[in-house]
Amino acid sequence: TWKLRGTTATETALVLGAATLIVPAVLFAGAGWLAYGETREQVTERMARTLDLLYVNVRTTFETEYLVAANIAEISADYTDDGIRANEEKVHQRLRRLVDVLPQVQNAFIIDEQGRALVSAETFPLPAGASAGDRDYFLAHRDRGERRHVSERLRGRLNDRAFFQYSERRQMPDGSFGGVIAVSIAPDYFLQRFGEASEDKDFTASLVRGDGAILVRYPDIGGAGRLGANSPFMRAIEASPEGGTYDTDRSAVDGLARIFMFRKLPDLPLYVAVGATQRTIWDIWIRRMASHLIFGVPATLALFGLAILATRRAAQESAALAQLQAEQARRASAEDNLRQSQKMTAVGQLTAGIAHD
């Protein structure tokens, strides 16, 4: 019984020592898994708030462009095309007053049905032969009958600056094509707004057409770009045209694994998208788990040390118990021998007494 109890105490101490390492490790792994899910959820919630902010900004900007185009249409309605040419300076001044107060507007034009620029808000007088007849936005209105159009990112022919064009079809009273009203939008305006939206590491924000043409991307990629037809973004908007979320193992722009959220503007095939890297999630998760390790590791080591101490004490007690058991066995044997000797002595004395009698 003593031997069994001593062995059980030692084994219990060893199991306790192992448990002080295994149980915290299992708990830490489970907590880490839960913490990663919570961290990803927090990052996506922050992305959603940032997307809401940028979406409202971009939508408001384009609603302003609708009003600018409507005002230019009213101005052009006061003149024939020949009248606009004859009064170019006067019309130019009216357009200039209209757009000068808008930081996102770089220029504005009235273009005739041949693609010739009649007047500009920024430049007076217009150079002879200034034309947009070969621009895709002009062709979209003339040949494809689009009422509203947003061009790809372009370079200005009058000022060599980057822009993209919001344009509307000029409709003649008889319904025929009468030209185009074009409002040139500065990408730098959106770059500044996007840059102010978040301080997250590797944050990205984009304004992308439905065909994959990148109009604006923060950080700036240094020019126009286009996402392929099989890119994750194009597959995502095909599956969810109004908005959604998707992951990519490798961004087509910078090669980083990212989570993206996107939302479509009303009435235009334009998407506002924001992205955060998987690395951002890991960085936040590691910092979060490190704060637990600061307290958890010392506590675990302390428990392990106590378990080792308990194991050693149990081993010492087992050894002492074994010695005690050996001493008890030796004493029991000596006592048995003594009793046997006493018996033999008594028998001898009894035998001698009988013989004497």
Side-chain angles (χ1 to χ4, degrees):
T1 302
W2 279 101
K3 183 178 180 180
L4 178 62
R5 288 178 180 174
T7 303
T8 302
T10 302
E11 291 177 349
T12 301
L14 290 173
V15 170
L16 178 61
T20 58
L21 293 179
I22 296 173
V23 172
V26 172
L27 292 176
F28 182 79
W33 182 76
L34 294 174
Y36 179 81
E38 292 175 358
T39 301
R40 180 184 171 94
E41 185 177 352
Q42 290 172 359
V43 171
T44 54
E45 287 177 355
R46 192 162 59 218
M47 287 174 59
R49 292 193 295 269
T50 302
L51 178 61
D52 289 341
L53 174 67
L54 295 182
Y55 176 82
V56 170
N57 180 268
V58 174
R59 179 174 177 174
T60 302
T61 299
F62 275 92
E63 288 174 349
T64 302
E65 310 316 318
Y66 301 162
L67 294 175
V68 171
N71 278 277
I72 294 175
E74 290 181 4
I75 292 171
S76 66
D78 295 338
Y79 303 91
T80 63
D81 288 355
D82 289 338
I84 293 174
R85 292 190 185 95
N87 295 276
E88 180 183 353
E89 183 176 7
K90 181 179 179 180
V91 178
H92 156 75
Q93 292 295 340
R94 294 180 67 180
L95 296 187
R96 184 172 181 175
R97 286 194 298 270
L98 183 63
V99 304
D100 270 355
V101 295
L102 302 173
Q104 73 271 24
V105 177
Q106 188 182 106
N107 203 350
F109 296 90
I110 300 175
I111 302 169
D112 70 11
E113 72 278 5
Q114 302 299 321
R116 294 170 298 195
L118 300 175
V119 64
S120 161
E122 184 182 51
T123 304
F124 174 81
L126 278 174
S131 174
D134 59 338
R135 295 287 203 184
D136 183 69
Y137 66 86
F138 179 82
L139 300 177
H141 296 295
R142 189 191 69 183
D143 300 341
R144 301 194 292 272
E146 294 184 20
R147 176 172 171 261
R148 289 174 172 169
H149 184 82
V150 179
S151 75
E152 296 182 348
R153 191 159 168 166
L154 304 170
R155 299 295 302 185
R157 290 171 175 170
L158 299 178
N159 52 30
D160 196 35
R161 288 183 294 180
F163 72 99
F164 57 91
Q165 202 83 285
Y166 169 74
S167 56
E168 293 187 4
R169 177 187 173 99
R170 292 176 67 200
Q171 197 84 357
M172 303 304 290
D174 61 359
S176 61
F177 175 68
V180 171
I181 293 170
V183 181
S184 303
I185 301 174
D188 288 347
Y189 171 80
F190 289 108
L191 281 174
Q192 184 177 358
R193 301 286 86 75
F194 291 174
E196 295 169 348
S198 176
E199 295 181 355
D200 285 354
K201 182 181 179 181
D202 298 321
F203 165 77
T204 182
S206 305
L207 182 61
V208 187
R209 288 201 324 185
D211 62 355
I214 301 173
L215 304 183
V216 183
R217 183 188 184 276
Y218 175 86
D220 193 10
I221 58 177
R226 180 180 292 273
L227 300 172
N230 293 321
S231 65
F233 172 79
M234 297 300 289
R235 293 197 300 268
I237 65 172
E238 182 179 2
S240 180
E242 296 303 316
T245 304
Y246 68 94
D247 291 14
T248 177
D249 294 332
R250 183 178 177 83
S251 169
V253 177
D254 56 20
L256 297 177
R258 293 182 182 274
I259 305 171
F260 286 97
M261 288 185 174
F262 62 94
R263 189 180 303 173
K264 182 181 177 297
L265 292 181
D267 305 323
L268 288 174
L270 287 180
Y271 290 86
V272 182
V274 297
T277 60
Q278 297 284 358
R279 183 171 63 190
T280 299
I281 298 176
W282 281 108
D283 288 346
I284 297 173
W285 178 80
I286 289 172
R287 289 196 299 269
R288 182 175 180 180
M289 296 310 296
S291 65
H292 296 311
L293 288 174
I294 290 173
F295 301 100
V297 170
T300 300
L301 293 177
L303 287 174
F304 182 70
L306 291 174
I308 293 297
L309 180 61
T311 301
R312 289 179 177 177
R313 292 187 63 180
Q316 292 171 354
E317 290 175 357
S318 295
L321 182 61
Q323 291 177 357
L324 178 60
Q325 290 172 343
E327 180 64 23
Q328 287 176 339
R330 186 185 65 78
R331 289 182 180 181
S333 177
E335 290 174 355
D336 287 342
N337 292 335
L338 178 60
R339 284 193 294 270
Q340 186 66 26
S341 176
Q342 290 174 344
K343 287 179 181 180
M344 293 302 293
T345 300
V347 170
Q349 291 175 350
L350 179 61
T351 302
I354 292 173
H356 178 76
D357 291 344

